[in-house]
Amino acid sequence: MCGIVGYLGNKEAFPILIKGLHRLEYRGYDSAGVALLNASGELNVYKTKGKVKNLEDYCKGKDISGTVGIAHTRWATHGEPNDVNAHPHYSQSENLALIHNGIIENYATLKELLIREGYTFKSETDTEVFVQVIEYVKKKFNLDLYGAVNRALTYVIGAYAIGIIEKNNPNILIAARKGSPLIVGIGKDEFFLGSDASPIVEFTKNVIYIGDEEVVKIERGQQVVINNLKDEIITPEVSQLELDLSEIEKGGFPHFMLKEIFEQPKSLGMCMNGRVSFDELEIKLRGITDNIDRFRKARRILITACGTSWHAGLIGKYLFEEFCHIPVSIEVASEFRYRKPVIYSDDILIPISQSGETADTLAAMDLARQNGAFIYGICNVVGSSIARGTDSGTYTHAGPEIGVASTKAFTTQVTVLIMMALAIGKELGTINHEKYHEIVKELINIPSKIKLILDKAPEIENISKVFTYAKNFLYLGRGYNYPVALEGALKLKEISYIHAEGYPAAEMKHGPIALIDEEMPIVVVAPKLDLYDKIVSNVQEVKARKGRIIAIVTEGDIEVSKVADYCIEVPDTEECLTPILTSIPLQLLSYYVATVKGKNVDQPRNLAKSVTVE
Ligand code: G6P
């Protein structure tokens, strides 16, 4: 949700900033802008509606010189996406330029105060108010930029990651964060700023993850200085990035989404690496072993997440209840955080998040912590806010996910949940030994089974071409594959803009069946499991109403295949592992429907990858 990037060093800033914006574009892409301080001390701001490419075109022929600068790619919150509302924003005197990711909640009150002081505003944004507040306190209290930012932050309520530069002051870049992510890269005689490591990794692996409520002073030729909002000095902790540049490039694929779909055998391998013992057929999860008493005494497991991560969480409920006999309640984070939920100190909260920055999930986690619950996180991004705020947890190690529609993050989240359920179940004695070993053995085979499904991509592409006419899709599944139906529907609507609904197959009779006619495609997730006969009946019910059925079935299927218009086979596996396999054809189906319709699958309209506002 908005990407910010900054540079201060001895190179020209513009190309570095533009490259950084391209890498951060997944966070928002409705407008973009850059501010540069040139050698004469002039502060030039260029910004425009649309993607980073538009900004590059817009800047042609303009003075883009300067060795210090900041840049922004936006996902609009306050004010429509247009040139004026794009960041950076100048202050009244045009001496300051600010980029911001987040929301200033009290901006209206602050704006009124500033208008009374004679300030005028060009945009509808909260960010312009923010920069004016900084200028106001700077003048009023005669402060330098660092002092002014520190002071101004005591006035604003909300979330932010900011970068700010000042005319005639080419040696200073100030940044701060509360709620939204911020990383500083330390190179040789140069510094970088980024919402994540992707704009930085090409230049340096040495980074500082800026903590919440911290302000950073980056000064040419000096060490980075950090203080918190209580005015305490923080010793910067330099970490080494493990990220590789190739991980954030398309690697020959037309889209990041397709690359990430095809990466799943590898990402699952990384997720299981060192955790699944091939020889002993055992699961070894440090976070679980170290905290097994918490799980043993747990009254309940609460799972909270948003979007695709919530769908993974739904599968977690089936897993923990089946294998650990611990009651699980799961809720989307935006509801959980405001519902005044009952949370006990012997509850375990599992927040699940790819980015580790989702505002609602973070807030839900804070709420659970205040109530004494133990927090066990499942996150992809190492060092993210959620990862840092948990008591313990397991990283998914999917590698960077850049396509806005989540794919490999989902299957690795499910893999972590499976490993957790098996590890806890074994410790608690709630899973039968034989079953445990059978599932572990099968888990090891899952990456190669995914490869077999990926080989069917051309077949799935052909099926998808038949259905691009559709205005609505219905996805049905039961048991472990009900969340898969929800996820399949979400994938399709996110990137193709076709309305799609996921439903528990039997529940279809209570409403969606009214929609079925000969036009309506119905995707049925029907691998051969315990409830197979029941889902066969559901498929018959659809067929009787002339619906067009695309079925995901187990290799060698007979019953569903007789009735379905199209079948995509997946290899047989343990029931609890089927979601990993059945979700793959659904990812491919949505990808191909969207690309055949000419949609931008990596940057679908109105969406952003990392939702750092509630
Ligand atoms: C956004 C993304 C989704 C993601 C959701 C939760 O909506 O577009 O792909 O599932 O946020 O994000 P998280 O990073 O917390 O998993």
Side-chain angles (χ1 to χ4, degrees):
M1 197 124 294
C2 297
I4 68 169
V5 54
Y7 178 77
L8 189 152
N10 45 20
K11 299 193 188 102
E12 280 300 302
F14 185 78
I16 296 171
L17 295 173
I18 291 292
K19 206 181 241 188
L21 285 187
H22 277 297
R23 298 224 165 106
L24 290 172
E25 211 167 10
Y26 73 87
R27 300 178 64 86
Y29 32 82
D30 59 42
S31 50
V34 59
L36 296 152
L37 256 179
N38 69 14
S40 323
E42 288 161 347
L43 180 55
N44 293 313
V45 170
Y46 308 116
K47 48 192 195 168
T48 183
K49 187 179 168 182
K51 309 226 173 213
V52 178
K53 183 76 191 65
N54 296 26
L55 177 67
E56 282 182 88
D57 294 342
Y58 178 75
C59 288
K60 281 191 185 132
K62 301 203 164 58
D63 176 7
I64 49 163
S65 64
T67 56
V68 53
I70 50 176
H72 187 270
T73 177
R74 181 169 186 244
W75 186 89
T77 57
H78 295 67
E80 65 171 273
N82 59 26
D83 299 353
V84 179
N85 290 331
H87 302 207
H89 286 280
Y90 272 131
S91 60
Q92 182 92 353
S93 66
E94 301 199 350
N95 281 344
L96 306 178
L98 176 81
I99 47 170
H100 170 216
N101 164 209
I103 286 187
I104 302 307
E105 287 164 12
N106 60 339
Y107 85 104
T109 319
L110 293 170
K111 192 168 181 175
E112 267 175 42
L113 291 173
L114 288 165
I115 288 171
R116 268 186 251 138
E117 294 289 331
Y119 281 77
T120 54
F121 292 85
K122 297 192 179 88
S123 78
E124 301 153 84
T125 63
D126 51 340
T127 304
E128 192 183 11
V129 176
F130 201 162
V131 70
Q132 303 277 44
V133 172
I134 297 172
E135 178 154 294
Y136 170 74
V137 298
K138 189 171 187 302
K139 284 190 179 152
K140 184 170 166 106
F141 301 104
N142 194 23
L143 299 167
D144 65 5
L145 184 58
Y146 185 44
V149 171
N150 268 290
R151 180 112 196 191
L153 293 181
T154 63
Y155 291 54
V156 297
I157 300 170
Y160 49 80
I162 57 166
I164 181 165
I165 53 175
E166 184 179 26
K167 187 172 181 172
N168 292 320
N169 194 357
N171 297 326
I172 300 279
L173 166 56
I174 306 294
R177 81 159 273 193
K178 184 178 177 194
S180 303
L182 188 65
I183 299 180
V184 172
I186 316 282
K188 189 173 176 321
D189 302 326
E190 57 185 358
F191 301 93
F192 305 84
L193 198 65
S195 296
D196 67 24
S198 62
I200 301 175
V201 63
E202 184 174 345
F203 306 99
T204 178
K205 297 243 169 184
N206 297 328
V207 296
I208 304 169
Y209 293 96
I210 305 304
D212 221 26
E213 307 201 346
E214 289 181 1
V215 188
V216 193
K217 182 184 186 184
I218 296 168
E219 189 169 2
R220 211 178 282 275
Q222 304 291 321
Q223 303 278 343
V224 167
V225 174
I226 305 178
N227 67 273
N228 63 18
L229 293 187
K230 291 186 206 129
D231 227 7
E232 295 157 340
I233 296 292
I234 309 290
T235 311
E237 214 178 283
V238 180
S239 315
Q240 286 291 308
L241 282 178
E242 282 176 20
L243 186 66
D244 197 61
L245 195 56
S246 64
E247 291 180 67
I248 53 170
E249 291 180 336
K250 283 189 197 148
F253 284 89
H255 297 101
F256 281 110
M257 184 181 176
L258 193 63
K259 177 190 175 215
E260 288 156 9
I261 291 174
F262 273 82
E263 259 172 10
Q264 290 173 106
K266 182 176 151 211
S267 56
L268 257 79
M270 294 191 306
C271 178
M272 289 191 252
N273 189 20
R275 295 159 168 180
V276 180
S277 155
F278 288 44
D279 303 332
E280 301 156 49
L281 296 183
E282 292 286 346
I283 305 283
K284 292 174 182 162
L285 282 183
R286 183 82 195 278
I288 298 299
T289 325
D290 289 353
N291 298 291
I292 193 62
D293 276 347
R294 295 294 308 220
F295 283 94
R296 190 167 281 125
K297 292 185 195 131
R299 182 192 291 235
R300 277 184 315 184
I301 290 176
L302 309 171
I303 303 179
T304 195
C306 303
T308 290
S309 300
W310 175 63
H311 295 154
L314 287 170
I315 296 171
K317 178 177 168 71
Y318 288 82
L319 289 162
F320 291 128
E321 295 202 340
E322 177 171 355
F323 298 122
C324 313
H325 300 183
I326 304 175
V328 179
S329 95
I330 161 147
E331 196 166 9
V332 287
S334 54
E335 287 301 313
F336 181 80
R337 66 180 287 194
Y338 285 120
R339 192 173 51 79
K340 302 184 183 64
V342 177
I343 305 170
Y344 302 105
S345 55
D346 49 2
D347 281 340
I348 292 177
L349 180 93
I350 304 183
I352 307 178
S353 175
Q354 187 286 128
S355 63
E357 302 294 346
T358 303
D360 284 320
T361 311
L362 257 171
M365 185 174 103
D366 288 344
L367 179 69
R369 186 188 302 101
Q370 284 156 25
N371 285 276
F374 182 74
I375 319 285
Y376 193 100
I378 300 178
C379 256
N380 189 34
V381 177
V382 175
S384 58
S385 302
I386 292 176
R388 281 144 45 109
T390 53
D391 296 306
S392 186
T394 302
Y395 279 117
T396 49
H397 292 316
E401 191 181 65
I402 294 166
V404 165
S406 189
T407 52
K408 62 176 182 171
F410 174 74
T411 44
T412 52
Q413 285 166 346
V414 175
T415 304
V416 166
L417 287 160
I418 290 165
M419 292 191 294
M420 284 175 68
L422 292 175
I424 299 165
K426 183 163 184 245
E427 291 284 351
L428 268 48
T430 44
I431 181 169
N432 158 302
H433 270 254
E434 232 170 84
K435 188 77 188 158
Y436 171 90
H437 289 301
E438 272 166 26
I439 299 174
V440 177
K441 200 162 144 198
E442 235 340 87
L443 189 57
I444 294 166
N445 292 330
I446 287 288
S448 50
K449 292 193 174 179
I450 294 178
K451 279 190 193 144
L452 297 174
I453 303 172
L454 293 172
D455 289 343
K456 294 177 195 273
E459 182 191 322
I460 298 171
E461 184 175 9
N462 283 337
I463 297 174
S464 73
K465 284 180 188 154
V466 179
F467 291 99
T468 46
Y469 73 87
K471 299 260 178 300
N472 294 289
F473 261 76
L474 186 60
Y475 284 68
L476 302 175
R478 297 188 78 129
Y480 278 102
N481 286 282
Y482 155 53
V484 173
L486 295 182
E487 176 57 11
L490 178 67
K491 277 300 73 82
L492 187 77
K493 71 185 137 199
E494 279 179 312
I495 59 171
S496 70
Y497 318 142
I498 295 174
H499 172 252
E501 231 180 307
Y503 240 78
E507 187 68 11
M508 169 188 71
K509 291 191 279 298
H510 301 285
I513 200 163
L515 299 169
I516 299 175
D517 59 17
E518 57 280 3
E519 294 277 291
M520 179 84 159
I522 293 108
V523 179
V524 188
V525 192
K528 199 140 184 22
L529 309 169
D530 278 1
L531 292 174
Y532 180 75
D533 291 344
K534 301 211 179 287
I535 205 154
V536 171
S537 309
N538 300 139
V539 174
Q540 297 285 7
E541 288 156 9
V542 171
K543 201 63 210 168
R545 272 111 195 139
K546 301 200 165 52
R548 303 186 74 185
I549 300 167
I550 307 161
I552 313 300
V553 295
T554 305
E555 271 165 9
D557 177 275
I558 296 172
E559 297 300 322
V560 174
S561 307
K562 273 192 221 151
V563 189
D565 297 85
Y566 298 91
C567 278
I568 306 167
E569 292 191 337
V570 298
D572 193 15
T573 190
E574 285 288 328
E575 177 154 3
C576 66
L577 305 181
T578 53
I580 306 179
L581 297 185
T582 52
S583 57
I584 310 280
L586 301 190
Q587 295 169 352
L588 286 167
L589 186 72
S590 60
Y591 172 80
Y592 288 121
V593 170
T595 47
V596 173
K597 284 173 79 77
K599 305 297 179 203
N600 183 343
V601 294
D602 280 342
Q603 293 169 356
R605 72 179 177 210
N606 304 337
L607 296 178
K609 180 107 193 118
S610 178
V611 183
T612 51
V613 296
E614 62 170 290

